[in-house]
Amino acid sequence: METPLERLREGNRRFLAGAARYHAPVSETERRALAKGQAPFAAVLGCADSRVVPEILFDCKAGELFVVRVAGNVAGPLEIASLEFAVESLGTRLVLVLGHTNCGAVASAFEARRTGAPPPSASLGVLLEKLEPALESASRAHARGDERAILREAERRSALESAARLARESALLERRLQEDLRIASAIVDLETGEVEFLAP
């Protein structure tokens, strides 16, 4: 039997091969069945970027993924609570943090860090602050690198950092990791559509 992570990998392979199965609208029969309940096999914490649609990237139909989207794929209290709900109430056994290349949130955080300009709002300040650890470690890793290298590394580290934050800031998720939960991270290349699953 395929694991949830294997199902995501296989769905992305079908997507890349142009052999996606679930781009058709949900049928009336499927809608009626879904109205009675859901049992998503995976939860995805992804970026709110309009170009990153997990259901399409992983070739999944309605009801298979529990998707939480927020700029920069950062894990704050509401995102964590949503993922806890998926795990505790819906039986989801995989949480995937999905970042992407050319992330506007990461680029904005990088620019704010570079210029020292204050964020345009308090809410955006919170978002940029959550991206700071990824930027800091990417900047150290590419101390002599160009901005593009730092941004690409920060996009990867943002996904990894958010995955680590889920276990650090949620006692429920930390406990479930000792039982049957897996938390993973990945990044999608916007130009190719290929998803790279990242090692923790």
Side-chain angles (χ1 to χ4, degrees):
M1 182 174 172
E2 282 185 315
T3 68
L5 197 59
E6 287 168 344
R7 286 180 69 181
L8 292 182
R9 288 182 197 275
E10 185 56 36
N12 186 241
R13 285 201 250 331
R14 286 193 306 274
F15 171 76
L16 291 171
R21 298 187 303 213
Y22 302 121
H23 288 238
V26 179
S27 71
E28 184 177 344
T29 303
E30 289 171 319
R31 279 195 309 273
R32 285 183 181 157
L34 287 170
K36 295 175 183 173
Q38 60 174 318
F41 75 87
V44 178
L45 171 60
C47 187
D49 191 297
S50 64
R51 302 165 293 179
V52 182
V53 184
E55 293 87 348
I56 293 174
L57 286 169
F58 297 118
D59 189 27
C60 290
K61 59 185 176 180
E64 291 190 323
L65 297 180
F66 186 91
V67 180
V68 178
R69 294 176 70 177
V70 59
N73 47 269
V74 298
L78 294 177
E79 292 79 27
I80 292 172
S82 295
L83 296 170
E84 287 176 338
F85 173 77
V87 169
E88 190 69 12
S89 299
L90 303 178
T92 304
R93 297 292 168 258
L94 171 67
V95 173
L96 177 72
V97 178
L98 180 64
H100 66 94
T101 59
N102 302 321
C103 180
V106 171
S108 294
F110 178 83
E111 187 62 16
R113 187 178 211 264
R114 189 180 66 76
T115 64
S121 74
S123 298
L124 281 170
V126 171
L127 173 67
L128 299 180
E129 184 180 310
K130 289 209 176 283
L131 290 166
E132 181 58 30
L135 284 168
E136 177 62 30
S137 61
S139 295
R140 282 196 310 270
H142 293 279
R144 296 178 183 265
D146 63 10
E147 288 184 10
R148 182 171 168 74
I150 292 170
L151 284 170
R152 294 301 77 84
E153 184 67 20
E155 289 161 352
R156 297 170 67 83
R157 292 186 186 225
S158 174
L160 290 164
E161 171 59 28
S162 287
R165 186 179 293 127
L166 292 176
R168 275 198 321 265
E169 297 185 11
S170 169
L172 186 154
L173 296 180
E174 182 183 30
R175 174 175 52 81
R176 294 302 287 272
L177 278 168
Q178 306 307 312
E179 300 168 6
D180 56 358
L181 177 67
R182 180 169 182 190
I183 297 176
S185 55
I187 187 162
V188 60
D189 185 316
L190 288 185
E191 290 187 9
T192 66
E194 183 173 4
V195 175
E196 177 190 356
F197 292 85
L198 305 174

